[in-house]
Amino acid sequence: MTETDALRKLSILAILLAAAPFLAGARLPPHGPLPQPRPEAADTTSPTPLPDKAEPPSPDDVPAPQPKPDMKEPEAPVPDQPSGPPTEPKKPESAKPEPAKPSPAEPMQGPPLPPGQGPQTPEEDNKPPAEQTLEEQHLTIEPESDAEHAECTAALKALGVVFKDVPRIDDGNGCGIDKPITVSEALPGITLKPEATVRCPAALALARWMKESVIPAASAALPEQGRLTTVNQATSYMCRLRNSAGTGKISEHARGNAIDIASFHFEKGEDVAVRSRREDPTLTGAFQRTVSAAGCLYFTTVLDPESDAAHETHFHLDVIERKGGYRYCH
């Protein structure tokens, strides 16, 4: 009986030993959840430092550009004072207030300009010619060659033009004639009324136009009127802008290059006034249209009553020189 009891005891011990691990495993689940909240707490703490880690790089980036403006700041004083670089390494902090010094220097440069009226002149220069007054254009009188003037006056004498040389005209602002002449007869026996003060090239163009176009056209269209005796001019030399405007380009009248013809007087009949005759079916209309068109053979500009309201009562004829020999005739 002793052996059997011993065997029983051994079997009971073996069972207990075999059940021990199961009992230990049964105790593990209650202890299992305890460690689980700890990793959750770790997880909760981990996300908080993550944004903290993301934030520091941004301030780290901020100081990085700070040295760059510091490098730019010394560059500004360097051109102003070449002796600045040796002092900069000694006092890098003082280099920062230095950019504040050039800022007051800039307003110091501004105030002296208005009293000197410096900014006003560039403003005037920036204006287009159409917005400039005669005074703002700062024009000068064009000089004339002695040889060319002598050649021109010789041609006038050959045509029988009655004229005289007069002293140089200078009315300021570019108005004037270097070698003016006063014409009293456009051709022999044809009075220019009143006398016209112009440059010789304008007088020569007028004489040739009269001889080669006006007189032949009058003989063909108005033979009953008799001989042409007078040419009435409205304007020769006059200091003004084009069309007497307040601003714009200078008139060729102000340079002695232009003359305005208002009417033609014949021995018989009434004066033939220059006026709108585009639709005039008479020979008088044909005469005016003919001499207007022919004017462009002698003058570089011809404006007739059909061109605009400013020329409704006369021909504007001038000898302005343009590039490429360009002419404007209307």
Side-chain angles (χ1 to χ4, degrees):
M1 294 299 290
T2 304
E3 295 177 355
T4 56
D5 294 335
L7 291 172
R8 289 178 183 177
K9 292 178 180 179
L10 291 173
S11 60
I12 293 169
L13 292 171
I15 292 169
L16 292 173
L17 291 173
F22 293 99
L23 294 173
R27 293 175 182 174
L28 291 173
H31 296 288
L34 296 175
Q36 290 176 357
R38 292 178 183 175
E40 291 175 358
D43 296 338
T44 54
T45 55
S46 61
T48 53
L50 289 176
D52 297 338
K53 293 179 181 177
E55 292 174 357
S58 61
D60 294 339
D61 297 339
V62 174
Q66 288 176 355
K68 294 179 181 177
D70 295 339
M71 295 301 292
K72 294 179 182 178
E73 291 172 355
E75 289 176 0
V78 169
D80 297 339
Q81 295 178 351
S83 59
T87 57
E88 291 172 355
K90 295 179 180 179
K91 295 180 180 180
E93 297 178 355
S94 62
K96 295 180 180 178
E98 288 176 358
K101 295 178 181 178
S103 60
E106 293 176 354
M108 291 300 293
Q109 296 176 354
L113 293 176
Q117 296 180 352
Q120 294 179 356
T121 50
E123 290 177 0
E124 295 175 358
D125 295 339
N126 292 334
K127 288 182 181 179
E131 297 180 4
Q132 291 182 352
T133 64
L134 185 60
E135 293 76 10
E136 291 173 342
Q137 297 182 39
H138 309 293
L139 302 173
T140 58
I141 298 173
E142 297 179 359
E144 297 185 61
S145 166
D146 292 338
E148 292 178 356
H149 181 71
E151 182 180 356
C152 180
T153 54
L156 287 181
K157 293 175 182 178
L159 289 170
V161 178
V162 178
F163 69 95
K164 62 181 178 180
D165 291 304
V166 294
R168 185 177 187 271
I169 301 173
D170 186 354
D171 291 332
N173 300 315
C175 291
I177 307 174
D178 188 25
K179 292 178 171 57
I181 63 171
T182 298
V183 180
S184 55
E185 289 189 15
L187 285 174
I190 301 179
T191 303
L192 187 58
K193 185 178 181 181
E195 293 181 336
T197 300
V198 292
R199 289 180 61 238
C200 184
L204 185 57
L206 177 65
R208 289 174 174 171
W209 175 61
M210 294 287 299
K211 180 179 181 179
E212 300 172 9
S213 296
V214 176
I215 293 175
S219 299
L222 308 169
E224 70 282 1
Q225 295 277 52
R227 185 177 66 86
L228 177 63
T229 60
T230 305
V231 176
N232 298 301
Q233 61 96 5
T235 310
S236 55
Y237 169 77
M238 178 180 289
C239 181
R240 62 176 174 83
L241 297 178
R242 292 181 181 179
N243 299 331
S244 299
T247 58
K249 292 185 177 180
I250 190 171
S251 171
E252 292 306 304
H253 287 284
R255 296 187 179 276
N257 288 328
I259 187 168
D260 294 342
I261 303 301
S263 65
F264 302 92
H265 179 73
F266 296 86
E267 289 179 321
K268 306 173 185 178
E270 298 179 355
D271 290 358
V272 176
V274 177
R275 58 181 177 83
S276 178
R277 296 183 185 274
R278 177 177 294 175
E279 305 299 332
D280 188 346
T282 67
L283 287 174
T284 301
F287 164 75
Q288 178 175 304
R289 293 192 296 271
T290 299
V291 298
S292 175
C296 208
L297 300 175
Y298 310 92
F299 297 91
T300 56
T301 305
V302 176
L303 300 175
D304 64 17
E306 314 302 339
S307 62
D308 56 28
H311 301 90
E312 288 180 339
T313 59
H314 62 273
F315 293 138
H316 169 88
L317 312 170
D318 72 50
V319 292
I320 184 176
E321 293 183 4
R322 298 186 179 92
K323 294 180 180 179
Y326 175 76
R327 299 187 176 212
Y328 182 83
C329 304
H330 191 287

